[in-house]
Structures are given as C-alpha cells and as structure tokens.
Amino acid sequence: MPERVDFWGIPHTWGPPELYAYGIMGLASLVLLFRLYQAVSLWWRLGRAEKRWDQLHIRIWRLIQYAIVQVRVLSQRYPGIMHVALAWAFFVFLWGTILATIHSHFIGFLYGHTYLVYKLALDVFTAIFIGGAILAAYRRYVLRPRRLTLAPRFTYSLVLIVVIVLGGLSVESTRLAVERPEWAWWMPAGWLVAQLWLATGASDATLLDWHFGLWFFHLLSVALLFVTLPQSTMLHVITGPLNVFFSKLDRPMGRLAPQPQTASGEPLFVTSLRDLTWKQLLDSEACTECGRCQDACPAFAAGTPLSPKELMLNIRTALRRDGPQLLQRGNGANGVPALVGEVVQDAVLWSCTTCGACVRECPVLIEHIDTMVDMRRQLVNEGRMDSMLQEALANLGRYGNSFGQSERVRGRWAQGFDPPIKDARKESVEYLWFVGDYASYSATLSDITRKTAEVFQKLGLDFGILYEGERNAGNDVRRVGEEGLYEMLVHRNTAVLSRCSFKAIVTTDPHSYNTLKNEYPPEVLDGRPVLHYTELLDQLLMTGALKFSHRLGYTVTYSDPCYLGRYNGVYDAPRRLILATGCQLVEMPRCGDRAACCGAGGGRIWMEEQAVQERPSEARIREAAALEGVQALVVTCPKDVTMYRDAVKTTGYEPRLAVKELMELVHAAL
C-alpha cells in the first residue's frame, strides 16, 4: 500500500536525519523570527499608535479575499495569473508540509488513496508553479514593463524559489526512479522527471547518492530562504497580508483621517517618520513594487515627479536607514534627512490629484493618499506652496470661495426665475441644493447651472439654495492640507444647514458631495441623505416621475468623476440617464472604477501649471476622441467641464468632439 515515508533513502551516516534536518531548519527559523522581529519592531515602535484591531471577522474575510484568493491581483490578466500561480502553489506546498508534519508526529493518515491524492495535488501545483515562473521570467526579462522594478534582488528571489521547487521535484523523481511503483503516475511531474534519471542508466545505488545530494541541497535552499526572507523582496509575503488585515475599516474611502494632535491638543504635523502611524510605515514595507499604482496615476502619466510606488519606496528606505537612529535619539537625531522636503520632495506631494486610482489598484491595500495629505499639512503649515494656491486659500478664508468674489454674488445666477428659487434658509424645502463654487461663480458654467434649476422646476421638485449663506464645502481644501481652513468652512456651512428645514441635500458637484456625505458631522444631516443630482434623477426615472419627450440620438462616451465613482461607487445612475435620453453610450477603455482623472482634484485646479508631457485632461480627451463615431464626452462634474472644455481646444478636437454636462442632455430631452 502506498504511504508517506519520512526521510526515505537518507543515510544515517551523519546520525539520524531528523537531527540535522530539524536542526538546520530550527536554526534558520530562529534567524527568520529574529530578523522579522527587528523589521516589525522598527515600524511598530517608531510609528504613532493607531487602532486597527477592531471587527476581526471583517479583517479575516479581507485577508481571504485579497491575500489568499488575491481578487485584486487577478484583476489584471497576465500578471494576475502569473502571481496567483506562484502564490497559490506555495500556499499548497505550505499545507503539504503541515499535513506531512501531522502525519509524522501526531496522526498518521497519508496512506493509500489519501496519500495518492495528496501527492497528485502537490505535483499539479508544482507544474502550475513552473508555469507561473516562466511567465514571471518572460515578463521581467523580455517584456520589461516600465512599471516594474527591474533590480537584481528580484532575480535572486525568483531564482531561489525556482531552485527550491525544482529541488523538491528532483528529490521526488529520484525516489520514483529507484522504487518505480505501479502508482507512479499519481505523481505525474515527478514520474516524468524520473524518466530522465532512468535514461542515464545509473544504478540504484548511484540514484540513491543523487537523491541524498539533492535532498540536502533542497534542505539548504529552504533554509536560505528563511534566513534571507526579512531582507529580500520576499518580505511582502508577510507584510502584504498584514497590511491587508490592518487596512482601514472605520471610515469610507471618501473620509480622511482627522489631523492628529499632540497630548496637549495641538495639531501634530508630519516632520519625521515618528509622526507617521505604524500602519503608514507598514504601508511602505508592504509595497510589492508591482507598479500598478504608478500605471494608474494620472500625475505620473503626465510626467510629474510623483510615482506612488516610489513614494512608498522612499519612505521604506528612510525607515530602514534612519529608523534605528530615530528610535534611539528621537526627532532631534543629527544627520537624519527631513521626511518632507528631502525624503519626499515638495513637488512630489503637490503633484497628487487625490483621484484614488493608486489606492484602487494596490493589491495589498496601501493607503497612499492619507500619507500624502498628512505631509501636505506640513507644507501648508510652513507656507511651502505656489502663489496661486496661496491666493486661492486666502480667498477661501476671506470670501468662502476660491474665486475671490463676494458671497453676495454667489446666487446671482438664480435671478429671473419664475417662480423664484427658494431661499432654503427662510423656507422649508424637500431638497436643499448645495450648488458649489464652480457652478455658482464660473461664467462658463452658469448656463449649465441655470439649466439644472430649470430641470428641477419642470420636474416639480420642491428645492431651494442657500444663496450667500453657502461656503465652499471644503473637500479640496482638506486634501490640500489646510485642515484649519477646512474646519472653519465646515463650521460656517453646518451653522447655516442646522437652521434649515429639508429632507435631503442634492449637489451637482462630486467634490462637495463627497465631503458632505462622508466628512460632515452626522448630527447636521441627522440621517438625511446626500445625493448627487444623477442619483436623484435616476430615482425619479425609476418611479416614472421623470419622462423624456425627445430622443437625442447622439453617440456619446462618459467619464466617471473620481469623487462620484471611485470614492462613492456611483456608476450606474449616470449611465441609465444617458441611455434614457436616447443616446448611445460607448465606454472608454478606462471606465468605471478605473476611469482616468481630469487632473483638477486635490486642489490641483488652484495650482500653477506644471511642466508636463501631457495634461491628464488632454490624455482623456484623446482617449474619448479615439472611439469610433463618438460625438460627445459626457461628464457630471463642474470641474470636469472646466478641464475638458479647455483640453478639447488645446488638443485640436473641438470641431469633432463636444464636452457635455449630463444635465445638458437631460434638459434637451425633456
């Protein structure tokens, strides 16, 4: 009967094989644990405290999803199949070792068909691993995508794990070549390799010598993996799952963590690694250097200094280089480069549009934006920003809008309506329309704003606005890093909102929508919903309250705003409205949660133009223009309208591609 035999064919010349096998692996395990302790204790002791131990059942489920099943890794076909082949194979090998240990030392069960199925599974995954390794080698040394880190240390890791797996296969195959059992085909990979040994004509004694040599080499290669893992690229097999387990659960993607405070209640600014949380430091150690974040980053594609991958690697390098000295001497350690300005350059931080594409793509759930905003707060605190941004923030502080216009002008667009648009501060309304700065003040958007009001009136909605009582909602102010100004804007808006009687807030600006929905004090909303206008119109469409009398017949494409789609998951409502107007919708290659950014977010619309290869908005226009037969790019964000109408001119596509706000289509189809 087939059964698993421990240390088959291993001579006792040097004593019982168990002694030196377990001795070598025990010593290697101690070195592994010690070096892991050194690495983990560095970010754990250096970083600020942060609670990430709650809701264990959700964290375990995330671990299964992202670290074991690897759903986000699989979202890209070639690298996904490649990585899953390697990772799942090693996961099966780990379980194979665990089951073998149970069989040897606790409960014997690897006999007969159970043993054969066990060996078949290991052999199948050996073949899967070899396939994954071939894909990895071809990608790294032939395709060489720009996003990969093509350093020799990755070659070392790939070669080592291939040597380990091929070593195990060779050990099995030499045993099969000697035994030649009738059930050998249950180990197809091993039996095929055994044919090579048999073809040499070597005697059984020679094959046994080879078996012992290969077994000992395999043992040493596994020990080498253990010893070097904490300092190699393989460390991510530990830090990656840890990062997934400790990913944020206490707040949605659209809610930034509040600015930390000192023990005395003063704002804490990030000046060194010690001012980051242990989880932010773990983010840097968990980075697999796959480059998915870099590929998705609109700032990197435009040619700015920002690469989300390099941001994490720079923090990791500083952590390993400066961390021990900071632990010993604190922030006053001499010769330690400043985190903000030296380790991470100012221009890198100001390049970010906070679009969230990097966070969406990261397979180990790194939270890049929280860390960048924390460092931006330090730049704002020291006044290290361009003059345009300084002026915009000054205007926001003085007037409540970035245009520097009087608050009395905010509602000027609403003049001439019959009946007049209600003042929600004075009358009870069902829908309080939070209009936003661009829709209120931009001369190029006033026509769209008026059409929005006309649509609301035609539908018989009971709505009103705040007129001069409204201030900028603060979404981008906060992401610029001006937390104090953000809190002031929130205070002024909530003071007005708390005196109004309404059943829901509706807004045409996804940036305002995000912060009102996710970041404003819950007692102000008191359970009342915050809706983007597309959600409201979609509800009316579903109930039959919204009916169109004209079919427009345009062929259009749609660009999901970052703060409506990726941040808040609103994808279907705008598309249903587009189709309901009688338009044909053609999707761009980058759509839905992978939609490209216009480049305005994170306060970039208030900053000076950078020297770039191509602006994100121009790249998006070219993507839309490349679609056959498309007549218009449809958007649902005032900043998108501003950015894309400028880009369609600078790219020369204005004669053949119109930029339309979805509300313009709704207005025309009514």
Side-chain angles (χ1 to χ4, degrees):
M1 181 175 67
E3 64 176 297
R4 187 182 188 281
V5 179
D6 291 337
F7 304 108
W8 181 94
I10 306 303
H12 286 58
T13 308
W14 301 343
E18 295 93 330
L19 287 180
Y20 51 89
Y22 293 151
I24 291 172
M25 290 310 301
L27 182 61
S29 298
L30 288 175
V31 174
L32 169 67
L33 292 173
F34 176 72
R35 299 185 82 181
L36 279 177
Y37 168 77
Q38 286 182 311
V40 170
S41 66
L42 188 58
W43 47 260
W44 181 261
R45 293 164 58 201
L46 190 66
R48 288 188 295 106
E50 184 177 11
K51 183 182 177 182
R52 295 278 182 139
W53 298 92
D54 57 330
Q55 304 181 69
L56 286 178
H57 62 293
I58 298 178
R59 296 191 181 280
I60 292 170
W61 175 241
R62 276 198 174 183
L63 194 66
I64 294 170
Q65 277 185 295
Y66 294 103
I68 298 175
V69 180
Q70 302 193 8
V71 291
R72 192 166 285 184
V73 171
L74 284 167
S75 64
Q76 295 184 15
R77 184 177 300 174
Y78 187 114
I81 293 172
M82 175 205 78
H83 191 273
V84 161
L86 300 175
W88 286 2
F90 258 86
F91 186 68
V92 169
F93 298 155
L94 172 64
W95 273 103
T97 304
I98 292 171
L99 293 175
T101 303
I102 293 172
H103 168 81
S104 300
H105 300 287
F106 301 99
I107 302 172
F109 64 96
L110 292 177
Y111 306 106
H113 279 89
T114 302
Y115 172 67
L116 295 178
V117 171
Y118 165 84
K119 292 300 292 183
L120 176 62
L122 292 177
D123 262 41
V124 167
F125 274 93
T126 296
I128 289 172
F129 172 87
I130 292 171
I134 292 170
L135 290 175
Y138 182 76
R139 185 166 182 259
R140 180 162 292 277
Y141 306 115
V142 179
L143 298 179
R144 299 174 65 86
R146 181 187 181 191
R147 76 189 199 188
L148 282 186
T149 303
L150 300 172
R153 52 198 170 91
F154 286 92
T155 298
Y156 163 81
S157 295
L158 181 59
V159 169
L160 180 56
I161 61 174
V162 168
V163 165
I164 288 172
V165 173
L166 292 183
L169 179 62
S170 299
V171 171
E172 178 188 76
S173 63
T174 50
R175 177 177 66 84
L176 292 174
V178 173
E179 288 192 319
R180 295 185 284 279
E182 60 182 16
W183 37 263
W185 278 109
W186 282 88
M187 289 151 267
W191 184 235
L192 283 173
V193 177
Q195 305 312 303
L196 299 177
W197 303 123
L198 292 171
T200 65
S203 65
D204 286 355
T206 301
L207 289 173
L208 281 170
D209 289 340
W210 291 353
H211 175 80
F212 174 63
L214 290 168
W215 175 83
F216 197 71
F217 179 76
H218 178 64
L219 177 68
L220 292 179
S221 62
V222 174
L224 181 62
L225 174 66
F226 275 42
V227 169
T228 59
L229 186 146
Q231 300 300 321
S232 75
T233 62
M234 293 297 293
L235 180 62
H236 77 273
V237 303
I238 294 174
T239 54
L242 280 176
N243 209 57
V244 168
F245 182 81
F246 290 120
S247 58
K248 67 180 179 184
L249 299 177
D250 60 331
R251 51 196 165 92
M253 181 177 175
R255 184 188 306 160
L256 282 175
Q259 183 168 7
Q261 295 182 336
T262 64
S264 60
E266 295 296 317
L268 176 66
F269 295 95
V270 173
T271 59
S272 82
L273 291 168
R274 293 187 70 94
D275 300 320
L276 296 175
T277 69
W278 64 263
K279 174 57 174 61
Q280 289 173 314
L281 297 177
L282 173 58
D283 276 346
S284 71
E285 285 285 15
C287 179
T288 65
E289 302 185 49
C290 66
R292 292 184 182 214
C293 58
Q294 180 177 288
D295 251 11
C297 178
F300 180 83
T304 75
L306 172 62
S307 161
K309 181 184 82 171
E310 293 300 327
L311 171 74
M312 288 296 118
L313 297 186
N314 288 341
I315 294 174
R316 177 200 293 175
T317 299
L319 174 63
R320 295 178 179 180
R321 181 192 63 217
D322 306 327
Q325 188 176 352
L326 287 169
L327 275 176
Q328 290 179 352
R329 304 181 186 178
N331 284 353
N334 294 326
V336 174
L339 177 62
V340 180
E342 293 185 79
V343 174
V344 180
Q345 299 293 320
D346 294 15
V348 169
L349 298 173
W350 288 130
S351 297
C352 180
T353 67
T354 67
C355 69
C358 53
V359 177
R360 166 60 185 80
E361 288 295 331
C362 182
V364 293
L365 310 188
I366 290 172
E367 298 155 19
H368 312 73
I369 292 175
D370 285 9
T371 300
M372 280 194 277
V373 171
D374 275 347
M375 290 190 279
R376 276 183 169 186
R377 287 169 177 154
Q378 170 64 8
L379 294 179
V380 171
N381 185 51
E382 295 184 353
R384 288 154 57 182
M385 66 188 87
D386 67 44
S387 58
M388 278 186 62
L389 179 56
Q390 284 183 328
E391 182 181 358
L393 293 178
N395 287 337
L396 284 157
R398 182 176 180 182
Y399 301 106
N401 66 82
S402 60
F403 290 83
Q405 296 190 35
S406 168
E407 60 268 22
R408 295 179 182 178
V409 182
R410 184 179 283 273
R412 182 175 290 174
W413 63 267
Q415 294 176 356
F417 278 87
D418 186 19
I421 295 175
K422 288 183 178 181
D423 187 336
R425 298 169 299 172
K426 301 175 182 177
E427 299 181 68
S428 176
V429 295
E430 184 174 2
Y431 297 104
L432 191 157
W433 178 12
F434 198 98
V435 184
D437 282 8
Y438 272 77
S440 297
Y441 288 106
S442 175
T444 59
L445 297 173
S446 59
D447 181 59
I448 296 173
T449 308
R450 290 183 64 85
K451 285 180 178 177
T452 302
E454 289 171 9
V455 167
F456 286 175
Q457 287 190 336
K458 285 181 180 180
L459 293 174
L461 297 184
D462 178 20
F463 74 98
I465 62 176
L466 296 175
Y467 287 91
E468 67 270 20
E470 182 184 310
R471 297 290 186 274
N472 183 288
N475 185 81
D476 296 301
V477 172
R478 192 176 200 200
R479 281 146 186 85
V480 158
E482 231 308 4
E483 190 75 9
L485 178 56
Y486 167 75
E487 291 174 356
M488 184 187 78
L489 293 169
V490 170
H491 176 73
R492 291 186 177 180
N493 280 324
T494 54
V496 175
L497 290 171
S498 63
R499 296 194 296 269
C500 297
S501 175
F502 60 92
K503 294 182 179 178
I505 292 178
V506 63
T507 179
T508 45
D509 175 22
H511 297 246
S512 299
Y513 169 79
N514 178 73
T515 197
L516 288 167
K517 179 179 179 179
N518 295 314
E519 297 182 316
Y520 268 49
E523 58 270 18
V524 175
L525 297 175
D526 193 25
R528 292 170 290 191
V530 177
L531 302 171
H532 187 258
Y533 83 86
T534 56
E535 294 178 291
L536 173 58
L537 295 186
D538 183 54
Q539 291 175 9
L540 298 176
L541 184 68
M542 294 296 103
T543 60
L546 170 59
K547 296 179 180 179
F548 295 109
S549 57
H550 305 288
R551 293 189 62 80
L552 301 181
Y554 304 138
T555 300
V556 304
T557 190
Y558 173 66
S559 184
D560 295 272
C562 303
Y563 279 95
L564 185 62
R566 206 157 25 242
Y567 273 85
N568 288 287
V570 180
Y571 299 110
D572 296 334
R575 287 170 169 81
R576 281 194 289 263
L577 287 170
I578 289 171
L579 295 174
T581 63
C583 291
Q584 179 185 353
L585 177 62
V586 180
E587 295 285 9
M588 283 186 275
R590 295 179 294 175
C591 61
D593 59 2
R594 285 203 165 89
C597 174
C598 74
R604 281 297 321 162
I605 200 167
W606 300 327
M607 301 181 204
E608 295 172 2
E609 195 76 62
Q610 294 173 291
V612 296
Q613 299 165 2
E614 183 177 56
R615 291 184 294 169
S617 55
E618 293 172 336
R620 191 62 162 164
I621 288 294
R622 294 187 194 281
E623 186 176 353
L627 299 174
E628 186 176 353
V630 166
Q631 300 164 281
L633 169 64
V634 178
V635 297
T636 50
C637 172
K639 292 183 176 70
D640 278 357
V641 176
T642 302
M643 300 298 284
Y644 290 136
R645 284 188 175 171
D646 179 62
V648 81
K649 296 174 184 176
T650 58
T651 55
Y653 286 106
E654 190 175 21
R656 50 168 286 209
L657 184 70
V659 175
K660 292 284 188 181
E661 226 293 346
L662 177 53
M663 186 59 80
E664 293 180 284
L665 301 184
V666 171
H667 185 272
L670 271 176

